[in-house]
């Protein structure tokens, strides 16, 4: 107690020493309290987090519907057999102890070394899992599966906490066999997951596009959760599946798997529920789309062509077909398709994945005479009764231009009906190429329509006003102007561009923006979330009503009157107005044809524009007009059904 006595007597040095001692002791006590009490929760929480493995759970993909709610792309359940490795750990230990290790000792007459133990444990795991895979697959498959040791070891090392897939996409019969024979195997579970399904196979394949399993393992998420594992997800590749991919995907969910110190699953908990993607409602009409695709195949399964049906009042695309087509389910269920299907998909001539309605650029042939007529009427070069005597060809210098129209004297309507080249070349040259180019510019020929992503659409080609050279660098001559008048040479258009052109002629001069999607729809409430406005006018073409009426009357005569090249499209009472076209192209050293029929109906109240294009056809009137007729028959029936429904019949 001597020190205390000295402190009491007022020894200042001892007082300072005592104060320092008690202060240091207090600091130690506070630190101990902080570590034991305050930090305990943080460390416990950190340990808990380190024991969790986060898993991204993809959402069900949104559906794609036609304008009447008919499903064009949907989801169906896919049944898979999975193996949970944590449930068979006792079998790993048993196999190692009672088989693999004993075999090693018997073969080498010694105990395994430390580095050999790891390989023996791998062998034991592989044997157990391989045996289970063989039992399951032999029960449900014609040919039992052999387990790839490298694939298994990668799954065990990197994804031990999530189930390992053994057999995917089981049929109903396989599910029954599995339930009967192997459902009691330890670690085996039947899992259900959604997969993309196209109920009509190849219908509207080029519009819808297809999906594939996403290849990228790492991708940032909106909820900023860092995932250890990502379950397979679908990604839109082409068409609307690609264009609306973010909306169709929905929002992925997240679950946490609690693992033990060696990485096996102990339990799991859902952190965020996935929400399904939005539905996309299209302007397409399923019945008209079916009719368009049937019409193209009238010439056989190897037909190369396109069909576009447009509402010329609103710009809605009611059908867009390209032939040949392909089954969209090939990319989600490849096992259902044979080698011949895949070979056809890669055929360099048929090119089934090529969307000829949007990506095909072709000479329009005599369908371009519609614009030549408008140019001549608007500039006072030609009147409806102006005539020309046609000798059977048009001679320009030393180079005669062939003409299928019989020799004779023609006024405008007769020349239009018989598609007389000489008549339109003669008056087109009088108007001048700059006037023709200016009229083509009004209709946006040679420009993309913007209906889809720019990369998925072809612009075609149309000369600029006052162009002095061709696209190949040749000096522009009267020859180039003459063949431009009949839709050849320096002009390439897509079927969609021609549908918009004929739609503008039909509706009184409004060039519309085409529309493929009506709205995005909530998948649960079926209410609209975002609408795309109809009837957007790209521009007024500024052509007089008189000129438009003269062309419309001639288009009607081409279908309804004797001698018209579009006669095979005639339907009584439908009021179909059209123009045929046949363009010659050199292909592999021989002459081939691109055939057209562009049209609208009905004459008195135009609503529909129908354009047909077929490669290697015989003629526009013989090949394409009958196909348009089949489409108009469906339209006529649908309109009649709607009228009956409105009348309450």
């Amino acid at each position: 107690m001597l020190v205390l006595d000295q402190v009491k007597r007022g020894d200042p040095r001892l007082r300072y020493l005592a104060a320092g001692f008690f202060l240091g002791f207090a600091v130690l006590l506070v630190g101990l309290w902080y570590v034991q009490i305050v930090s305990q929760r943080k460390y416990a929480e950190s340990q808990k987090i380190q024991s969790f493995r986060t898993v991204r759970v993809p959402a069900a993909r949104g559906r794609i519907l036609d304008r009447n709610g008919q499903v064009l792309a949907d989801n169906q359940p896919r049944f898979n057999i999975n193996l949970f490795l944590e449930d068979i750990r006792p079998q790993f230990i048993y196999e190692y102890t009672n088989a693999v290790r004993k075999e090693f000792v018997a073969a080498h007459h010694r105990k395994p070394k430390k580095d050999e133990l790891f390989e023996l444990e791998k062998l034991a795991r592989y044997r157990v899992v391989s045996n289970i895979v063989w039992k399951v697959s032999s029960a449900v498959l014609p040919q039992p599966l052999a387990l790839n040791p490298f694939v298994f070891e990668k799954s065990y090392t990197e994804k031990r906490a999530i189930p390992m897939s053994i057999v995917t996409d089981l049929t109903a019969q396989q599910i029954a066999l599995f339930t009967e024979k192997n459902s009691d195997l330890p670690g085996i579970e039947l899992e259900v997951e959604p997969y993309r399904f196209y109920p009509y196979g190849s219908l509207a394949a080029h519009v819808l596009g297809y999906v594939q399993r996403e290849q990228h393992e790492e991708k940032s998420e909106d909820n900023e959760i860092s995932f250890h594992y990502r379950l397979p997800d679908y990604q839109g590749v082409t068409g609307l599946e690609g264009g609306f991919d973010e909306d169709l995907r929905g929002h992925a969910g997240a679950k946490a798997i609690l693992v033990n110190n060696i990485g096996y699953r102990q339990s799991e908990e859902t952190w965020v529920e996935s929400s399904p993607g939005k539905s996309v409602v299209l302007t397409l009409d399923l019945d008209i789309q079916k009719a368009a695709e049937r019409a193209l195949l009238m010439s056989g399964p190897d037909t190369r062509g396109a069909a576009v049906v447009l509402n010329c009042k609103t710009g809605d695309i009611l059908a867009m077909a390209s032939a040949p087509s392909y089954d969209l389910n090939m990319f989600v269920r490849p096992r259902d398709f044979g080698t011949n299907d895949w070979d056809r998909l890669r055929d360099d001539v048929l090119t089934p994945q090529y969307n000829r309605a949007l990506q095909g650029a072709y000479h329009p042939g005599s369908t371009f005479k519609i614009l030549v007529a408008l140019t001549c009427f608007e500039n006072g070069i030609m009147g409806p009764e102006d005539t020309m005597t046609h000798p059977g060809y048009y001679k320009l210098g030393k180079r005669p231009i062939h003409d299928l129209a019989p020799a004779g004297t023609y006024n405008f309507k007769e020349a239009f009906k018989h598609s007389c080249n000489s008549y339109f070349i003669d008056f087109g040259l009088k108007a001048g190429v700059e006037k023709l180019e200016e009229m083509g510019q009004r209709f946006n020929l040679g420009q993309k329509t913007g209906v889809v992503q720019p990369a998925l659409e072809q612009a075609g080609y149309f000369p600029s006003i006052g162009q002095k050279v061709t696209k190949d660098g040749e000096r522009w001559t009267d020859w180039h102007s003459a063949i431009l008048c009949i839709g050849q040479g320096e002009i390439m258009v897509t079927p969609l561009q021609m549908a918009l052109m004929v739609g503008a002629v039909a509706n009184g001069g409004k060039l519309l923006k085409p529309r493929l999607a009506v709205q995005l729809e909530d998948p649960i409430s079926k209410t609209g979330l975002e609408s795309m406005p109809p009837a957007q006018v790209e521009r007024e073409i500024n052509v007089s009503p008189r000129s438009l009426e003269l062309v419309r009357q001639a288009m009607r005569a081409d279908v309804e009157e004797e001698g018209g090249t579009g006669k095979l499209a005639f339907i009584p009472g439908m009021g179909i107005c059209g123009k045929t076209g046949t363009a010659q192209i050199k292909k592999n050293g021989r002459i081939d044809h691109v055939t057209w029929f562009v049209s609208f109906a009905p004459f008195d109240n135009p609503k529909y524009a129908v354009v047909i294009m077929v490669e290697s056809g015989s003629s526009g009137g013989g090949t394409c007009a009958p196909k348009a007729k089949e489409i108009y028959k469906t339209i006529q029936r649908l309109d009649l059904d709607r009228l009956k429904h409105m009348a309450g019949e």
Side-chain angles (χ1 to χ4, degrees), residues 87-112:
D87 292 347
I88 56 173
R89 271 193 297 158
Q91 294 187 42
F92 292 161
I93 297 171
Y94 183 87
E95 180 69 19
Y96 171 77
T97 305
N98 296 281
V100 175
R101 184 183 175 90
K102 288 183 177 180
E103 291 169 6
F104 180 89
V105 173
H108 297 83
H109 306 291
R110 63 176 176 83
K111 292 181 180 180

PDB file of all heavy atoms in Angstrom, residues 87-112:
ATOM      1  N   ASP A  87     -26.595 -34.490 -51.756  1.00  0.00           N
ATOM      2  CA  ASP A  87     -27.383 -35.623 -51.268  1.00  0.00           C
ATOM      3  C   ASP A  87     -26.668 -36.955 -51.412  1.00  0.00           C
ATOM      4  O   ASP A  87     -27.119 -37.967 -50.860  1.00  0.00           O
ATOM      5  CB  ASP A  87     -28.722 -35.689 -52.019  1.00  0.00           C
ATOM      6  CG  ASP A  87     -29.628 -34.521 -51.667  1.00  0.00           C
ATOM      7  OD1 ASP A  87     -29.329 -33.820 -50.684  1.00  0.00           O
ATOM      8  OD2 ASP A  87     -30.629 -34.303 -52.378  1.00  0.00           O
ATOM      9  N   ILE A  88     -25.582 -36.982 -52.172  1.00  0.00           N
ATOM     10  CA  ILE A  88     -24.889 -38.267 -52.380  1.00  0.00           C
ATOM     11  C   ILE A  88     -23.469 -38.233 -51.819  1.00  0.00           C
ATOM     12  O   ILE A  88     -22.641 -39.071 -52.164  1.00  0.00           O
ATOM     13  CB  ILE A  88     -24.858 -38.646 -53.880  1.00  0.00           C
ATOM     14  CG1 ILE A  88     -24.204 -37.537 -54.719  1.00  0.00           C
ATOM     15  CG2 ILE A  88     -26.271 -38.941 -54.392  1.00  0.00           C
ATOM     16  CD1 ILE A  88     -24.000 -37.928 -56.171  1.00  0.00           C
ATOM     17  N   ARG A  89     -23.168 -37.285 -50.924  1.00  0.00           N
ATOM     18  CA  ARG A  89     -21.849 -37.261 -50.293  1.00  0.00           C
ATOM     19  C   ARG A  89     -21.519 -38.561 -49.564  1.00  0.00           C
ATOM     20  O   ARG A  89     -20.384 -39.043 -49.637  1.00  0.00           O
ATOM     21  CB  ARG A  89     -21.745 -36.078 -49.330  1.00  0.00           C
ATOM     22  CG  ARG A  89     -21.254 -34.812 -49.986  1.00  0.00           C
ATOM     23  CD  ARG A  89     -20.867 -33.795 -48.941  1.00  0.00           C
ATOM     24  NE  ARG A  89     -22.016 -33.401 -48.134  1.00  0.00           N
ATOM     25  CZ  ARG A  89     -21.931 -32.871 -46.914  1.00  0.00           C
ATOM     26  NH1 ARG A  89     -20.741 -32.706 -46.365  1.00  0.00           N
ATOM     27  NH2 ARG A  89     -23.013 -32.524 -46.247  1.00  0.00           N
ATOM     28  N   PRO A  90     -22.488 -39.162 -48.830  1.00  0.00           N
ATOM     29  CA  PRO A  90     -22.157 -40.447 -48.170  1.00  0.00           C
ATOM     30  C   PRO A  90     -21.708 -41.515 -49.167  1.00  0.00           C
ATOM     31  O   PRO A  90     -20.839 -42.338 -48.849  1.00  0.00           O
ATOM     32  CB  PRO A  90     -23.470 -40.830 -47.488  1.00  0.00           C
ATOM     33  CG  PRO A  90     -24.174 -39.536 -47.263  1.00  0.00           C
ATOM     34  CD  PRO A  90     -23.824 -38.691 -48.442  1.00  0.00           C
ATOM     35  N   GLN A  91     -22.275 -41.482 -50.380  1.00  0.00           N
ATOM     36  CA  GLN A  91     -21.866 -42.462 -51.386  1.00  0.00           C
ATOM     37  C   GLN A  91     -20.439 -42.189 -51.874  1.00  0.00           C
ATOM     38  O   GLN A  91     -19.696 -43.124 -52.185  1.00  0.00           O
ATOM     39  CB  GLN A  91     -22.839 -42.433 -52.566  1.00  0.00           C
ATOM     40  CG  GLN A  91     -24.246 -42.905 -52.203  1.00  0.00           C
ATOM     41  CD  GLN A  91     -25.122 -43.032 -53.434  1.00  0.00           C
ATOM     42  OE1 GLN A  91     -24.690 -43.510 -54.466  1.00  0.00           O
ATOM     43  NE2 GLN A  91     -26.378 -42.606 -53.294  1.00  0.00           N
ATOM     44  N   PHE A  92     -20.056 -40.895 -51.950  1.00  0.00           N
ATOM     45  CA  PHE A  92     -18.678 -40.571 -52.303  1.00  0.00           C
ATOM     46  C   PHE A  92     -17.706 -41.177 -51.288  1.00  0.00           C
ATOM     47  O   PHE A  92     -16.693 -41.791 -51.650  1.00  0.00           O
ATOM     48  CB  PHE A  92     -18.469 -39.045 -52.343  1.00  0.00           C
ATOM     49  CG  PHE A  92     -19.203 -38.337 -53.457  1.00  0.00           C
ATOM     50  CD1 PHE A  92     -19.436 -36.971 -53.393  1.00  0.00           C
ATOM     51  CD2 PHE A  92     -19.654 -39.032 -54.570  1.00  0.00           C
ATOM     52  CE1 PHE A  92     -20.096 -36.312 -54.409  1.00  0.00           C
ATOM     53  CE2 PHE A  92     -20.317 -38.377 -55.596  1.00  0.00           C
ATOM     54  CZ  PHE A  92     -20.548 -37.022 -55.513  1.00  0.00           C
ATOM     55  N   ILE A  93     -18.032 -40.997 -50.005  1.00  0.00           N
ATOM     56  CA  ILE A  93     -17.159 -41.496 -48.932  1.00  0.00           C
ATOM     57  C   ILE A  93     -17.098 -43.022 -48.964  1.00  0.00           C
ATOM     58  O   ILE A  93     -16.025 -43.626 -48.838  1.00  0.00           O
ATOM     59  CB  ILE A  93     -17.665 -40.991 -47.565  1.00  0.00           C
ATOM     60  CG1 ILE A  93     -17.598 -39.456 -47.520  1.00  0.00           C
ATOM     61  CG2 ILE A  93     -16.849 -41.597 -46.423  1.00  0.00           C
ATOM     62  CD1 ILE A  93     -18.278 -38.850 -46.310  1.00  0.00           C
ATOM     63  N   TYR A  94     -18.261 -43.623 -49.151  1.00  0.00           N
ATOM     64  CA  TYR A  94     -18.312 -45.098 -49.163  1.00  0.00           C
ATOM     65  C   TYR A  94     -17.509 -45.663 -50.333  1.00  0.00           C
ATOM     66  O   TYR A  94     -16.742 -46.627 -50.171  1.00  0.00           O
ATOM     67  CB  TYR A  94     -19.765 -45.554 -49.244  1.00  0.00           C
ATOM     68  CG  TYR A  94     -19.931 -47.063 -49.194  1.00  0.00           C
ATOM     69  CD1 TYR A  94     -20.039 -47.733 -47.987  1.00  0.00           C
ATOM     70  CD2 TYR A  94     -19.959 -47.816 -50.375  1.00  0.00           C
ATOM     71  CE1 TYR A  94     -20.171 -49.118 -47.935  1.00  0.00           C
ATOM     72  CE2 TYR A  94     -20.083 -49.191 -50.349  1.00  0.00           C
ATOM     73  CZ  TYR A  94     -20.198 -49.840 -49.129  1.00  0.00           C
ATOM     74  OH  TYR A  94     -20.319 -51.204 -49.076  1.00  0.00           O
ATOM     75  N   GLU A  95     -17.670 -45.074 -51.499  1.00  0.00           N
ATOM     76  CA  GLU A  95     -16.957 -45.560 -52.677  1.00  0.00           C
ATOM     77  C   GLU A  95     -15.448 -45.392 -52.515  1.00  0.00           C
ATOM     78  O   GLU A  95     -14.664 -46.280 -52.884  1.00  0.00           O
ATOM     79  CB  GLU A  95     -17.425 -44.805 -53.924  1.00  0.00           C
ATOM     80  CG  GLU A  95     -16.767 -45.219 -55.222  1.00  0.00           C
ATOM     81  CD  GLU A  95     -17.154 -46.618 -55.680  1.00  0.00           C
ATOM     82  OE1 GLU A  95     -18.193 -47.137 -55.207  1.00  0.00           O
ATOM     83  OE2 GLU A  95     -16.413 -47.183 -56.517  1.00  0.00           O
ATOM     84  N   TYR A  96     -15.043 -44.276 -51.924  1.00  0.00           N
ATOM     85  CA  TYR A  96     -13.618 -44.049 -51.716  1.00  0.00           C
ATOM     86  C   TYR A  96     -13.044 -45.044 -50.705  1.00  0.00           C
ATOM     87  O   TYR A  96     -12.001 -45.669 -50.947  1.00  0.00           O
ATOM     88  CB  TYR A  96     -13.389 -42.616 -51.233  1.00  0.00           C
ATOM     89  CG  TYR A  96     -11.966 -42.362 -50.796  1.00  0.00           C
ATOM     90  CD1 TYR A  96     -10.958 -42.169 -51.723  1.00  0.00           C
ATOM     91  CD2 TYR A  96     -11.633 -42.344 -49.435  1.00  0.00           C
ATOM     92  CE1 TYR A  96      -9.648 -41.955 -51.325  1.00  0.00           C
ATOM     93  CE2 TYR A  96     -10.330 -42.134 -49.031  1.00  0.00           C
ATOM     94  CZ  TYR A  96      -9.343 -41.936 -49.976  1.00  0.00           C
ATOM     95  OH  TYR A  96      -8.048 -41.743 -49.568  1.00  0.00           O
ATOM     96  N   THR A  97     -13.737 -45.218 -49.589  1.00  0.00           N
ATOM     97  CA  THR A  97     -13.215 -46.053 -48.504  1.00  0.00           C
ATOM     98  C   THR A  97     -13.237 -47.534 -48.853  1.00  0.00           C
ATOM     99  O   THR A  97     -12.269 -48.266 -48.605  1.00  0.00           O
ATOM    100  CB  THR A  97     -14.028 -45.817 -47.220  1.00  0.00           C
ATOM    101  OG1 THR A  97     -14.018 -44.423 -46.913  1.00  0.00           O
ATOM    102  CG2 THR A  97     -13.445 -46.605 -46.050  1.00  0.00           C
ATOM    103  N   ASN A  98     -14.326 -47.987 -49.452  1.00  0.00           N
ATOM    104  CA  ASN A  98     -14.532 -49.421 -49.632  1.00  0.00           C
ATOM    105  C   ASN A  98     -14.170 -49.942 -51.025  1.00  0.00           C
ATOM    106  O   ASN A  98     -14.192 -51.154 -51.234  1.00  0.00           O
ATOM    107  CB  ASN A  98     -15.989 -49.780 -49.341  1.00  0.00           C
ATOM    108  CG  ASN A  98     -16.365 -49.520 -47.898  1.00  0.00           C
ATOM    109  OD1 ASN A  98     -16.045 -50.298 -47.008  1.00  0.00           O
ATOM    110  ND2 ASN A  98     -17.041 -48.398 -47.661  1.00  0.00           N
ATOM    111  N   ALA A  99     -13.849 -49.046 -51.941  1.00  0.00           N
ATOM    112  CA  ALA A  99     -13.524 -49.518 -53.286  1.00  0.00           C
ATOM    113  C   ALA A  99     -12.239 -48.891 -53.807  1.00  0.00           C
ATOM    114  O   ALA A  99     -11.224 -49.571 -53.987  1.00  0.00           O
ATOM    115  CB  ALA A  99     -14.688 -49.234 -54.237  1.00  0.00           C
ATOM    116  N   VAL A 100     -12.247 -47.610 -54.028  1.00  0.00           N
ATOM    117  CA  VAL A 100     -11.134 -46.953 -54.704  1.00  0.00           C
ATOM    118  C   VAL A 100      -9.829 -47.069 -53.911  1.00  0.00           C
ATOM    119  O   VAL A 100      -8.776 -47.443 -54.449  1.00  0.00           O
ATOM    120  CB  VAL A 100     -11.471 -45.466 -54.976  1.00  0.00           C
ATOM    121  CG1 VAL A 100     -10.270 -44.740 -55.567  1.00  0.00           C
ATOM    122  CG2 VAL A 100     -12.657 -45.360 -55.926  1.00  0.00           C
ATOM    123  N   ARG A 101      -9.879 -46.761 -52.609  1.00  0.00           N
ATOM    124  CA  ARG A 101      -8.659 -46.822 -51.788  1.00  0.00           C
ATOM    125  C   ARG A 101      -8.130 -48.249 -51.688  1.00  0.00           C
ATOM    126  O   ARG A 101      -6.918 -48.492 -51.798  1.00  0.00           O
ATOM    127  CB  ARG A 101      -8.942 -46.252 -50.401  1.00  0.00           C
ATOM    128  CG  ARG A 101      -7.707 -46.186 -49.506  1.00  0.00           C
ATOM    129  CD  ARG A 101      -8.066 -45.672 -48.121  1.00  0.00           C
ATOM    130  NE  ARG A 101      -6.927 -45.718 -47.247  1.00  0.00           N
ATOM    131  CZ  ARG A 101      -6.035 -44.743 -47.083  1.00  0.00           C
ATOM    132  NH1 ARG A 101      -6.184 -43.611 -47.762  1.00  0.00           N
ATOM    133  NH2 ARG A 101      -5.019 -44.866 -46.251  1.00  0.00           N
ATOM    134  N   LYS A 102      -9.050 -49.201 -51.468  1.00  0.00           N
ATOM    135  CA  LYS A 102      -8.627 -50.600 -51.347  1.00  0.00           C
ATOM    136  C   LYS A 102      -8.007 -51.091 -52.654  1.00  0.00           C
ATOM    137  O   LYS A 102      -7.015 -51.835 -52.648  1.00  0.00           O
ATOM    138  CB  LYS A 102      -9.816 -51.468 -50.968  1.00  0.00           C
ATOM    139  CG  LYS A 102     -10.282 -51.285 -49.524  1.00  0.00           C
ATOM    140  CD  LYS A 102     -11.428 -52.225 -49.198  1.00  0.00           C
ATOM    141  CE  LYS A 102     -11.845 -52.076 -47.727  1.00  0.00           C
ATOM    142  NZ  LYS A 102     -12.965 -52.987 -47.385  1.00  0.00           N
ATOM    143  N   GLU A 103      -8.568 -50.684 -53.774  1.00  0.00           N
ATOM    144  CA  GLU A 103      -8.010 -51.085 -55.064  1.00  0.00           C
ATOM    145  C   GLU A 103      -6.599 -50.526 -55.244  1.00  0.00           C
ATOM    146  O   GLU A 103      -5.703 -51.201 -55.774  1.00  0.00           O
ATOM    147  CB  GLU A 103      -8.916 -50.598 -56.198  1.00  0.00           C
ATOM    148  CG  GLU A 103     -10.257 -51.313 -56.274  1.00  0.00           C
ATOM    149  CD  GLU A 103     -11.213 -50.634 -57.231  1.00  0.00           C
ATOM    150  OE1 GLU A 103     -10.777 -49.672 -57.916  1.00  0.00           O
ATOM    151  OE2 GLU A 103     -12.388 -51.036 -57.296  1.00  0.00           O
ATOM    152  N   PHE A 104      -6.391 -49.283 -54.812  1.00  0.00           N
ATOM    153  CA  PHE A 104      -5.065 -48.667 -54.933  1.00  0.00           C
ATOM    154  C   PHE A 104      -4.040 -49.410 -54.080  1.00  0.00           C
ATOM    155  O   PHE A 104      -2.925 -49.713 -54.543  1.00  0.00           O
ATOM    156  CB  PHE A 104      -5.133 -47.199 -54.505  1.00  0.00           C
ATOM    157  CG  PHE A 104      -3.819 -46.488 -54.602  1.00  0.00           C
ATOM    158  CD1 PHE A 104      -3.444 -45.847 -55.769  1.00  0.00           C
ATOM    159  CD2 PHE A 104      -2.929 -46.460 -53.523  1.00  0.00           C
ATOM    160  CE1 PHE A 104      -2.230 -45.198 -55.864  1.00  0.00           C
ATOM    161  CE2 PHE A 104      -1.717 -45.819 -53.609  1.00  0.00           C
ATOM    162  CZ  PHE A 104      -1.362 -45.177 -54.787  1.00  0.00           C
ATOM    163  N   VAL A 105      -4.410 -49.710 -52.823  1.00  0.00           N
ATOM    164  CA  VAL A 105      -3.493 -50.415 -51.922  1.00  0.00           C
ATOM    165  C   VAL A 105      -3.167 -51.792 -52.474  1.00  0.00           C
ATOM    166  O   VAL A 105      -2.013 -52.245 -52.450  1.00  0.00           O
ATOM    167  CB  VAL A 105      -4.099 -50.510 -50.506  1.00  0.00           C
ATOM    168  CG1 VAL A 105      -3.229 -51.402 -49.611  1.00  0.00           C
ATOM    169  CG2 VAL A 105      -4.238 -49.124 -49.894  1.00  0.00           C
ATOM    170  N   ALA A 106      -4.201 -52.482 -52.999  1.00  0.00           N
ATOM    171  CA  ALA A 106      -3.970 -53.818 -53.546  1.00  0.00           C
ATOM    172  C   ALA A 106      -3.062 -53.769 -54.772  1.00  0.00           C
ATOM    173  O   ALA A 106      -2.246 -54.674 -54.997  1.00  0.00           O
ATOM    174  CB  ALA A 106      -5.307 -54.460 -53.910  1.00  0.00           C
ATOM    175  N   ALA A 107      -3.175 -52.707 -55.556  1.00  0.00           N
ATOM    176  CA  ALA A 107      -2.374 -52.609 -56.779  1.00  0.00           C
ATOM    177  C   ALA A 107      -0.947 -52.130 -56.521  1.00  0.00           C
ATOM    178  O   ALA A 107      -0.011 -52.547 -57.212  1.00  0.00           O
ATOM    179  CB  ALA A 107      -3.057 -51.677 -57.773  1.00  0.00           C
ATOM    180  N   HIS A 108      -0.755 -51.268 -55.484  1.00  0.00           N
ATOM    181  CA  HIS A 108       0.552 -50.656 -55.266  1.00  0.00           C
ATOM    182  C   HIS A 108       1.239 -51.147 -53.989  1.00  0.00           C
ATOM    183  O   HIS A 108       2.402 -50.796 -53.747  1.00  0.00           O
ATOM    184  CB  HIS A 108       0.419 -49.124 -55.207  1.00  0.00           C
ATOM    185  CG  HIS A 108      -0.065 -48.506 -56.479  1.00  0.00           C
ATOM    186  ND1 HIS A 108      -1.399 -48.434 -56.811  1.00  0.00           N
ATOM    187  CD2 HIS A 108       0.621 -47.925 -57.513  1.00  0.00           C
ATOM    188  CE1 HIS A 108      -1.535 -47.831 -57.981  1.00  0.00           C
ATOM    189  NE2 HIS A 108      -0.315 -47.505 -58.433  1.00  0.00           N
ATOM    190  N   HIS A 109       0.522 -51.919 -53.146  1.00  0.00           N
ATOM    191  CA  HIS A 109       1.062 -52.467 -51.895  1.00  0.00           C
ATOM    192  C   HIS A 109       1.584 -51.369 -50.976  1.00  0.00           C
ATOM    193  O   HIS A 109       2.604 -51.515 -50.298  1.00  0.00           O
ATOM    194  CB  HIS A 109       2.185 -53.478 -52.196  1.00  0.00           C
ATOM    195  CG  HIS A 109       1.759 -54.569 -53.134  1.00  0.00           C
ATOM    196  ND1 HIS A 109       0.847 -55.550 -52.784  1.00  0.00           N
ATOM    197  CD2 HIS A 109       2.117 -54.815 -54.437  1.00  0.00           C
ATOM    198  CE1 HIS A 109       0.664 -56.362 -53.813  1.00  0.00           C
ATOM    199  NE2 HIS A 109       1.417 -55.938 -54.840  1.00  0.00           N
ATOM    200  N   ARG A 110       0.896 -50.251 -50.980  1.00  0.00           N
ATOM    201  CA  ARG A 110       1.224 -49.146 -50.078  1.00  0.00           C
ATOM    202  C   ARG A 110       0.029 -48.215 -49.971  1.00  0.00           C
ATOM    203  O   ARG A 110      -0.911 -48.273 -50.775  1.00  0.00           O
ATOM    204  CB  ARG A 110       2.429 -48.368 -50.600  1.00  0.00           C
ATOM    205  CG  ARG A 110       2.199 -47.690 -51.938  1.00  0.00           C
ATOM    206  CD  ARG A 110       3.389 -46.850 -52.353  1.00  0.00           C
ATOM    207  NE  ARG A 110       3.228 -46.263 -53.690  1.00  0.00           N
ATOM    208  CZ  ARG A 110       2.554 -45.136 -53.937  1.00  0.00           C
ATOM    209  NH1 ARG A 110       1.980 -44.462 -52.942  1.00  0.00           N
ATOM    210  NH2 ARG A 110       2.453 -44.688 -55.179  1.00  0.00           N
ATOM    211  N   LYS A 111       0.093 -47.335 -48.974  1.00  0.00           N
ATOM    212  CA  LYS A 111      -0.960 -46.341 -48.821  1.00  0.00           C
ATOM    213  C   LYS A 111      -0.741 -45.212 -49.831  1.00  0.00           C
ATOM    214  O   LYS A 111       0.404 -44.927 -50.209  1.00  0.00           O
ATOM    215  CB  LYS A 111      -0.936 -45.769 -47.408  1.00  0.00           C
ATOM    216  CG  LYS A 111      -1.329 -46.768 -46.331  1.00  0.00           C
ATOM    217  CD  LYS A 111      -1.304 -46.105 -44.966  1.00  0.00           C
ATOM    218  CE  LYS A 111      -1.700 -47.094 -43.883  1.00  0.00           C
ATOM    219  NZ  LYS A 111      -1.695 -46.473 -42.538  1.00  0.00           N
ATOM    220  N   PRO A 112      -1.829 -44.554 -50.273  1.00  0.00           N
ATOM    221  CA  PRO A 112      -1.659 -43.445 -51.222  1.00  0.00           C
ATOM    222  C   PRO A 112      -0.978 -42.249 -50.576  1.00  0.00           C
ATOM    223  O   PRO A 112      -1.176 -41.962 -49.392  1.00  0.00           O
ATOM    224  CB  PRO A 112      -3.090 -43.107 -51.637  1.00  0.00           C
ATOM    225  CG  PRO A 112      -3.947 -43.626 -50.544  1.00  0.00           C
ATOM    226  CD  PRO A 112      -3.248 -44.828 -49.970  1.00  0.00           C
TER     227      PRO A 112
END
